[in-house]
Amino acid sequence: MLVLLPPSEGKASSGRGAPLKPESLSLPGLAAAREAVLAELVDLCAGDEEKAREVLGLSEGLRGEVAKNAALRTAGARPAGEIYTGVLYDALGLATLDAAAKKRAARSLLVFSGLWGAVRVTDRIPSYRCSMGVKLPGLGALGAHWRGPMAEVLPEAAGSGLVLDLRSAAYAAAWKPKGEVASRTATVRVLHAPTRKVVSHFNKATKGRIVRSLLTAGIAPGGPAELVEALRELGYEVEVAAPGKAGQAWSLDVLVTEVH
């Protein structure tokens, strides 16, 4: 099973660990594309602060993020699972998983990123600010920048089992599973059952809890149909839209009655 996650806007501080070693990151086929983004982002943020803030879409209160980006090559690095915070990651609770579940998380979780493309939760990275929606002056839109490299690397990373896609739209644009991989991919929405609407907070929280449930139970569904069965056994109410033709992903709606 491969689980595709969005990053978090907010991130923990880098800490005092050893600095980034780009060659140590997973998915080495993304190395050249990572270096291109890293080099331009560092140069941008080491130069005109106001221009950098405008490009990155940062408010006055987030001015300090520019200096953080300028120091990415020398800042301390920590496992990505510790860097990413926020509602989904709080609900996932990587730090509180037992040893077996942590090993499953290391194998199966892949976090998408405007800067890194995608990383494993065990990859050591510094704290940064660069969403997939950014358009860098030299490289252009990051979603488009990552599309080619991802298409080369991700099908192999997907292996032969389920691809559980929990990304937001901006990050989903960087790689869309196709063909045989798409046929074993399931996308998930979380809906407030009474209104049938997506509500951001419990959408993220429920997705985090779903991943935690699968990891702690040791469940690795082979495909979307097995995922639906597993989620229902775990107590989730799931509605399914199976693909109309080959080469399309399954769409799952998880219904939640309480906002928490």
Side-chain angles (χ1 to χ4, degrees), residues 40-238:
E40 183 168 355
L41 183 62
V42 169
D43 286 349
L44 172 70
C45 292
D48 185 330
E49 185 179 87
E50 292 305 316
K51 180 181 179 182
R53 224 164 39 92
E54 179 182 351
V55 169
L56 296 174
L58 300 177
S59 66
E60 176 66 31
L62 293 174
R63 183 180 291 274
E65 299 294 288
V66 175
K68 179 194 291 185
N69 283 348
L72 282 171
R73 293 193 188 275
T74 56
R78 296 167 62 185
E82 297 177 13
I83 291 290
Y84 294 116
T85 60
V87 174
L88 187 155
Y89 290 91
D90 286 347
L92 172 52
L94 286 169
T96 61
L97 292 173
D98 63 35
K102 284 180 179 178
K103 289 181 180 179
R104 297 182 196 110
R107 291 194 303 267
S108 62
L109 304 188
L110 199 62
V111 184
F112 275 61
S113 162
L115 173 54
W116 313 114
V119 291
R120 304 280 186 186
V121 293
T122 50
D123 285 334
R124 297 179 63 82
I125 58 173
S127 185
Y128 67 97
R129 190 72 173 230
C130 184
S131 71
M132 192 65 80
V134 165
K135 293 183 179 180
L136 291 175
L139 291 177
L142 291 179
H145 170 76
W146 285 111
R147 219 163 281 145
M150 292 286 194
E152 292 289 328
V153 171
L154 267 293
E156 181 178 354
S160 58
L162 170 73
V163 177
L164 176 54
D165 190 351
L166 303 179
R167 298 172 294 167
S168 55
Y171 292 90
W175 181 58
K176 182 178 180 180
K178 295 182 179 180
E180 185 271 335
V181 178
S183 68
R184 49 187 168 85
T185 296
T187 63
V188 174
R189 295 189 307 173
V190 180
L191 302 182
H192 183 221
T195 63
R196 313 297 281 194
K197 292 181 179 179
V198 174
V199 180
S200 178
H201 178 88
F202 72 72
N203 173 53
K204 294 175 182 177
T206 302
K207 286 179 177 179
R209 284 192 283 270
I210 285 171
V211 177
R212 184 180 179 89
S213 296
L214 293 171
L215 292 173
T216 55
I219 299 172
E226 293 93 331
L227 173 65
V228 173
E229 181 179 348
L231 291 178
R232 287 173 175 164
E233 289 179 355
L234 289 167
Y236 293 96
E237 183 178 355
V238 184

